[in-house]
Amino acid sequence: WRAVGRRRGQAGRAGVPQVPPPRAGVAPAGPGRVRSGRCRWCRTRMWLRSGVFASSCLLVQALGVALFLRGFFPVPVRSVPRREARADPPAEPAPPGPGMVSNWTKIPPPLFKKVVIVLIDALRDDFVFGPKGKQFMPYTTQVVEKGTSYSFIAEAKPPTVTMPRIKALMTGSIPGFIDVVVNLNSPALLDDNLIWQAKTAGKRIIFYGDDTWVKLFPKHFVEYDGTTSFFVSDFTEVDDNVTRHLDRVLKREDWDLLILHYLGLDHIGHMTGPNSPLVGPKLREMDNILKKIHISLLSKEEASLPNLLVVCGDHGMSETGSHGGSSEGEVHTPLLFISSAFGKRSAPPAQPEHVQQTDLASTLAIGLGLPISRNSVGNLILPVVGGKTMREQLRFMHLNGFQLSRLLQENMPAYEKDPGYEHFKIAEKSHGNWIKLYLEGNNSEILLNLGKKVLKQYLEALKTLSSSLSKQVAQYDMYSMMVGTVIIMEVLILLLLSVPKALSKRAEFEVPLSPPLFSLLFYLMCLMLCAVHVIVCTSAESLCYFCSMSWLTAVGVMMLISALMCGILSAVGKILENYRLPPKNPVASSYSWSEIDVLILAGTIGHVLSLGASSFIEEEHQTWYFLINTLCLVLCQELCRNNFLLKECDPQHSTNVKQNFDSVRESSECKNIDIPAASNSKLGKATSSSEFIKGSDKWISLATPWIILICCRLLRSLNQTGVQWAHRPDFGHWLTSSEHKSELSFLAAVSLLMIFFLVQRRCSLVSKIAMALGLLGVYSYRAAIGNVTFPWQHGGKDISKGITEARFVYVFVLGIVFTGTKDLLKSQVISADSSTKSTGLWEVYSGLVLLAALLFRPHNLPVLVFCLLIQTMMTKYIWMPLKFDAAQITIMHYWFGQAFFYFQGNSNGIATVDISAGFVGLDSYVEIPAIFLTAFATYAGPFLWAIHLLCYLSSEVRR
C-alpha cells in the first residue's frame, strides 16, 4: 500500500486524475471483456459475442423444450402391475332376496379350441370390402358374403404406426404419440395383455412375422421367426419367410394360438402407393393364404369346440401409401371373424358395422377363456358370442363391464358420478333380477325379454364407460408443461431484446451479472417460485415429473427462471434508459421501415400466432404459400422503384451512382468478390442499386418475381398436402400411375439435366464430371426399381432393388462432399482465401443436391429443379442488386425453405414421412443410415436452403 500511495502521489503531482485503490475482494480491471457500468464497484457487466450468447440461450431453450415435451407426451395411467392382474373373477350379480346365490364364480370356458390371427400390415378396409377385394380376394369375399363369418370395420386411433397398434390389439388400451418414437426400437411390453394371459394359462403360442412382436413379448412364444419390418424395399421375401412355415404348422396339434404378421403390403404402399399395380398380386397372395388356413382349420375341427380365424390389419394407408395420421384410409381396417360356430349367411351383409380396434382384445379374451386385460378400454363384440345362451352372454357382458368399471375407479376420483358407472350399476341390478327368475326355473317369454333388455343396458354402459376411459386413460403433466413454457418464453423474449445488439457492427450483447444475481427481486422470485412448487407438488393428485425431481434440481430450475426474468427486466430498463437519452447522431439513427421490413416482421409474427390454432397447423402450408407469394409481389415493387422511380427523381445522382458502380464492379471482378453496400441507410442502399442492372438484365430482374410465382403455383399442383384437401388428385398422382410411366420418365430425365445445368456452374472440373455421372446413376437406379424406363427398353423388365446403382451414386456424393470439405479446410488452415472457401461450400452443397436427387421420388424431381432455379434467380437478380442485409436474406431463405418442405408433399402429420428413402441402396436394415437418409429426404427443402444461405453469405466477404 505504501508503493500504491507513492504512485498516487506521483500521479497527482503529474496532473493525472487519481483512481481510488481497489477495495478488498475486488479485482482490478484488466484488459478482459468485463467492463464496468456507471456504478463501478456495485455493478458488473459482461460483454458476450452474439454467437456465444445465442448458443447459451439455445441450451436453456433445449431444457425448456425437453421439460415441456416430457409433460406433453401423455404417460398412460395404468391399472395394477401385471403380476397382480390375475385376481379372482367377479361372480354373477347377486339376485335380490334372502338365500339366493349364483353358483357361477369362475371364468367361462373357452369358446374356440384353436385361434389363428392373420394380421396383414396396412390392410385398408376397401382392399377387402371394396372393388379390389372382389377382384383380387375372391375367396375372402365369398366367405364374407355367404360364409360363416362376421365382418366389421375396425377404427384405429392415431398414431397409426405398427407398434402402438399391436399394443392396442393385444392390451385393448390406447397408446400415446410417444410410441411413435419407441416404434423404432420396441421395448418389452410390461402391461397386462392377451399374450401374457394366454401364456400364464398354459396356452402354446406360435408366431411368424414382424419382429416387433418378438421384442414386445419376449419368451412368450414356444416357436417364432421374426422378420425385419423396416426394410421396405422387400416385397416378397418378408412374406415368404412367414408362409414357408404354414404347411408344417397347420399339420401339427401342439399349439393353441397362431399369429401371422405379413408386411409385404405395407412395404408396397410405402414404395409405390395404394394404387400401384403391385397391390393386386399381393392381395391375391394373401387371399390364397387365408384360403389355405381356413380349409385346414375346418378339416381339423372337433365336435366339442370349433376353431377361429381372425383377419385384421394394424392400420391402413393414405393415398400416398404412408401411414401414421388420422385420415380415413389410415384408421379404417377390416376385422373378420371366420368360424363354423357362426351361422351361414343367406345374403350378402349390408355395410359392415364399425367397431373400435381395442375391442379385439376383450373379444379374444372371452373366446379363449382368459381374463380381460386390466388396462383394456375395449368392448366385447356381441355378435361373436351371439350363438351362446342368454346366461352366457350376460355373463360375458358383466365381466367386461366389471373390468371397465374397476379401471375407471382407479383412474377417476369421482367415478361414482360418471354416467357409464351409473349405467353399469343399473344393468348389474337388472342382471340380478334376471338371475333370480332364471334360478327359479322361469322359462317364459318374460325371461327372454328381460335378458334382451339387460343386454341393451350392458351395451350402453360399456359404450359410455369406454368413452370415459378413453378420455381418462392418458393424463397430461400440466405443471411440467407450464414450467417448460415459462423457460421457453423467457429465453425468447431475451433473444428478441438482444436482436438490435446482435445485428450491430460489434455483434456483442451486454449481459448484466450483478443485478440479476444480487438483487432483492431475484431472491423474492426464488422464494415465491419455491413456495408455488411446494404447494403444487403436495396437492397434486397425479404423478408429476417435475415434482419427482430432486429438490436441488428443482431449486436450480427456479433460480434459472428467476435469473432470466431479472435479466429481461434489466434489458428492458437499459432499452428505456437509452430511449430517453437524446441520440448522438440524429441523421445516422433515423431509419425508415421499408415494405420488405414490414412484411418480414408481420409475416413472422403472424405465422407464430397462427400456430395457436390446430386448423392452421394442419394447413400450415397455406400460410407459407401466402407469405412467399406476398414476398414476391413486394420484391417486384422494390425492383420497380429502384429501376424507374429513383431514376426519374434524381437522374444526376443515378449517373454518379453508375460511375461509382462501374469502378467498384471492375475491382470486384478482379478479386472475385461481390460488390459492397454503399451505406447502411435505406436511402444509400436504394440509390446504390438504382443503376445496377442494365439492358436485358433489368427486364429479367423485373420478371424474376413473376417467374418465381409461376414456379410456386406449379409446385402447389404437384403434391396435395395438409389434411382437408390431401385426398384430392394432383399432378403427382397422375405421373405415378402406371399408364403414364413414359411421361414420368421424360420429366425425370429433363429434371436431372436441369439440376446439372444449375449446379455445375461453380464446381471444379472433377466435381462436374462426378455430378454428371451421379445424376446418370440416379436415373439408372429409378429405372432398376421400375419407376422410369430407358428409351431403348421395350416390354417388361425385371424389377430389382437397385442396390448397385444407388451405391454407385453414393460414391460420387461422398467424392463431391469430400472435395468441398478439402477446400474448406484449405481456406481455413493453409490460406485465408475467400474464393476457395466459397467454392468448397458450393461443392458440399452440390453433393447434397445429388443426394436429394437420389432420395426424391421421380415425380418430386421438379421440386429440386425449381428450388435451384429460384435460388439462382434470387441471388443474381434480387439479393445482389438490391443489397439486402443479412437478416432480411436469412429470413427469406427460411421462408422459402419452409415452403419447399410442403412443396415436397410433406405435412405436419407423420403419415407423409417417406420412410422408403431410408432404404435406398441398403440390402438390410441398418438403423443409423436409415434414420439419416429418412430425415434428410424429409427435410431436404429447408436444409438445402440453409446450406445455400451459408454459400451466399460466405461470398459476401466485403459486406
Side-chain angles (χ1 to χ4, degrees), residues 284 631 658 668:
R284 187 177 290 110
L631 176 64
K658 180 180 182 304
S668 65

Side-chain angles (χ1 to χ4, degrees), residues 208-210 225-229 231-245 261-265 267-268 282 285-286 289 799-801 803 922-925:
Y208 303 116
D210 186 355
D225 184 12
T227 57
T228 302
S229 58
F231 188 52
V232 297
S233 299
D234 184 6
F235 303 153
T236 55
E237 294 179 10
V238 71
D239 288 343
D240 292 342
N241 287 334
V242 179
T243 308
R244 64 191 175 96
H245 300 283
H261 189 152
Y262 286 94
L263 291 163
L265 183 64
H267 291 183
I268 291 174
K282 180 57 67 175
E285 177 188 345
M286 295 295 103
I289 291 171
I799 297 176
S800 67
K801 297 177 182 178
I803 295 176
L922 302 180
D923 54 4
S924 63
Y925 175 63

Side-chain angles (χ1 to χ4, degrees), residues 150-314:
Y150 287 105
S151 55
F152 305 92
I153 294 178
E155 182 179 345
K157 299 293 184 183
T160 49
V161 292
T162 297
M163 194 271 286
R165 302 279 45 90
I166 295 176
K167 281 187 176 182
L169 288 168
M170 293 296 105
T171 65
S173 60
I174 302 177
F177 274 88
I178 191 64
D179 288 309
V180 176
V181 181
V182 183
N183 185 58
L184 297 174
N185 187 19
S186 309
L189 181 61
L190 301 178
D191 298 331
D192 186 18
N193 59 81
L194 182 71
I195 302 296
W196 180 79
Q197 292 282 5
K199 180 179 180 293
T200 307
K203 296 189 179 296
R204 297 155 296 180
I205 312 171
I206 296 178
F207 170 77
Y208 303 116
D210 186 355
D211 59 358
T212 304
W213 290 76
V214 182
K215 297 175 184 177
L216 287 174
F217 310 106
K219 302 179 181 179
H220 286 68
F221 307 117
V222 296
E223 182 180 324
Y224 65 88
D225 184 12
T227 57
T228 302
S229 58
F230 289 104
F231 188 52
V232 297
S233 299
D234 184 6
F235 303 153
T236 55
E237 294 179 10
V238 71
D239 288 343
D240 292 342
N241 287 334
V242 179
T243 308
R244 64 191 175 96
H245 300 283
L246 267 185
D247 293 331
R248 175 176 51 85
V249 171
L250 292 176
K251 294 176 183 178
R252 291 159 43 184
E253 296 290 339
D254 59 343
W255 57 272
D256 303 294
L257 178 60
L258 174 63
I259 303 175
L260 308 173
H261 189 152
Y262 286 94
L263 291 163
L265 183 64
D266 178 67
H267 291 183
I268 291 174
H270 280 298
M271 293 297 292
T272 59
N275 300 317
S276 168
L278 300 174
V279 171
K282 180 57 67 175
L283 292 177
R284 187 177 290 110
E285 177 188 345
M286 295 295 103
D287 187 59
N288 293 331
I289 291 171
L290 295 177
K291 179 180 180 181
K292 177 189 294 186
I293 297 173
H294 187 213
I295 293 175
S296 177
L297 290 178
L298 290 176
S299 64
K300 291 182 175 296
E301 277 191 353
E302 299 177 357
S304 57
L305 284 177
N307 298 324
L308 174 65
L309 171 61
V310 179
V311 183
C312 61
D314 56 345

Side-chain angles (χ1 to χ4, degrees), residues 429-741:
K429 185 176 180 180
S430 301
H431 190 184
N433 294 330
W434 185 91
I435 293 175
K436 178 181 179 181
L437 293 177
Y438 178 82
L439 294 178
E440 290 175 352
N442 190 335
N443 294 324
S444 63
E445 192 73 18
I446 298 175
L447 185 67
L448 180 61
N449 292 333
L450 180 59
K452 293 180 179 179
K453 178 183 177 182
V454 176
L455 278 179
K456 291 181 179 179
Q457 291 176 339
Y458 269 132
L459 285 173
E460 182 181 359
L462 294 179
K463 183 178 180 180
T464 310
L465 281 170
S466 180
S467 176
S468 300
L469 284 168
S470 298
K471 300 173 183 177
Q472 295 292 329
V473 76
Q475 293 183 354
Y476 292 91
D477 186 357
M478 297 301 299
Y479 183 46
S480 299
M481 292 171 62
M482 291 177 63
V483 174
T485 303
V486 169
I487 295 176
I488 293 171
M489 293 304 298
E490 285 184 334
V491 174
L492 176 62
I493 293 172
L494 198 58
L495 284 171
L496 291 176
L497 293 176
S498 66
V499 165
K501 288 285 186 180
L503 296 182
S504 64
K505 289 184 177 181
R506 301 184 67 92
E508 292 178 339
F509 183 70
E510 185 181 11
V511 181
L513 292 182
S514 295
L517 297 180
F518 302 104
S519 65
L520 179 62
L521 177 63
F522 173 76
Y523 293 111
L524 289 177
M525 288 191 64
C526 285
L527 290 175
M528 183 183 66
L529 292 175
C530 290
V532 171
H533 181 72
V534 172
I535 294 173
V536 172
C537 293
T538 54
S539 60
E541 297 180 355
S542 59
L543 180 63
C544 173
Y545 174 74
F546 191 60
C547 292
S548 64
M549 291 182 173
S550 64
W551 277 99
L552 186 62
T553 305
V555 171
V557 174
M558 299 303 173
M559 294 179 64
L560 175 64
I561 294 176
S562 303
L564 289 173
M565 180 57 67
C566 293
I568 291 172
L569 295 177
S570 177
V572 171
K574 183 69 175 178
I575 292 175
L576 295 177
E577 180 182 349
N578 294 335
Y579 182 75
R580 295 192 189 100
L581 296 176
K584 297 179 181 179
N585 188 355
V587 177
S589 62
S590 61
Y591 181 83
S592 60
W593 284 65
S594 67
E595 291 85 353
I596 295 288
D597 298 321
V598 174
L599 173 64
I600 287 176
L601 182 62
T604 304
I605 295 176
H607 170 254
V608 173
L609 295 178
S610 71
L611 298 181
S614 60
S615 57
F616 278 95
I617 295 175
E618 293 172 352
E619 308 296 331
E620 188 183 357
H621 59 286
Q622 302 286 3
T623 303
W624 291 114
Y625 296 166
F626 172 78
L627 288 178
I628 61 172
N629 290 344
T630 309
L631 176 64
C632 289
L633 294 177
V634 174
L635 289 174
C636 181
Q637 180 190 15
E638 190 79 9
L639 288 168
C640 291
R641 179 188 293 116
N642 280 270
N643 282 281
F644 299 112
L645 296 182
L646 291 179
K647 180 187 297 186
E648 295 174 359
C649 295
D650 193 359
Q652 180 64 34
H653 182 73
S654 62
T655 303
N656 296 334
V657 170
K658 180 180 182 304
Q659 295 174 354
N660 295 333
F661 165 71
D662 291 337
S663 60
V664 173
R665 186 173 185 178
E666 290 175 1
S667 60
S668 65
E669 288 176 353
C670 297
K671 297 179 181 180
N672 193 23
I673 58 175
D674 290 315
I675 300 167
S679 66
N680 290 331
S681 66
K682 193 59 69 173
L683 178 61
K685 182 175 70 175
T687 54
S688 66
S689 58
S690 60
E691 291 291 332
F692 242 51
I693 304 168
K694 287 299 176 184
S696 61
D697 283 354
K698 180 179 75 171
W699 299 109
I700 297 176
S701 173
L702 293 174
T704 295
W706 301 102
I707 296 174
I708 296 174
L709 283 174
I710 295 173
C711 293
C712 293
R713 186 63 190 89
L714 293 174
L715 289 175
R716 290 184 63 176
S717 304
L718 186 63
N719 292 303
Q720 290 285 357
T721 184
V723 175
Q724 298 293 332
W725 299 280
H727 63 281
R728 292 187 177 180
D730 50 39
F731 190 52
H733 284 93
W734 184 85
L735 286 171
T736 53
S737 61
S738 57
E739 298 84 6
H740 304 107
K741 183 176 287 188

Side-chain angles (χ1 to χ4, degrees), residues 336-348:
L336 308 180
F337 295 90
I338 305 173
S339 175
S340 60
F342 309 142
K344 213 169 198 181
R345 296 181 181 275
S346 58

Side-chain angles (χ1 to χ4, degrees), residues 110-131:
L111 308 181
F112 306 99
K113 181 182 179 182
K114 293 181 181 294
V115 176
V116 179
I117 301 175
V118 180
L119 194 155
I120 304 174
D121 210 297
L123 184 66
R124 300 201 322 189
D125 60 328
D126 58 337
F127 287 173
V128 175
F129 304 128

Side-chain angles (χ1 to χ4, degrees), residues 96-114:
M100 300 288 291
V101 179
S102 172
N103 57 358
W104 197 351
T105 59
K106 295 183 179 180
I107 293 288
L111 308 181
F112 306 99
K113 181 182 179 182
K114 293 181 181 294

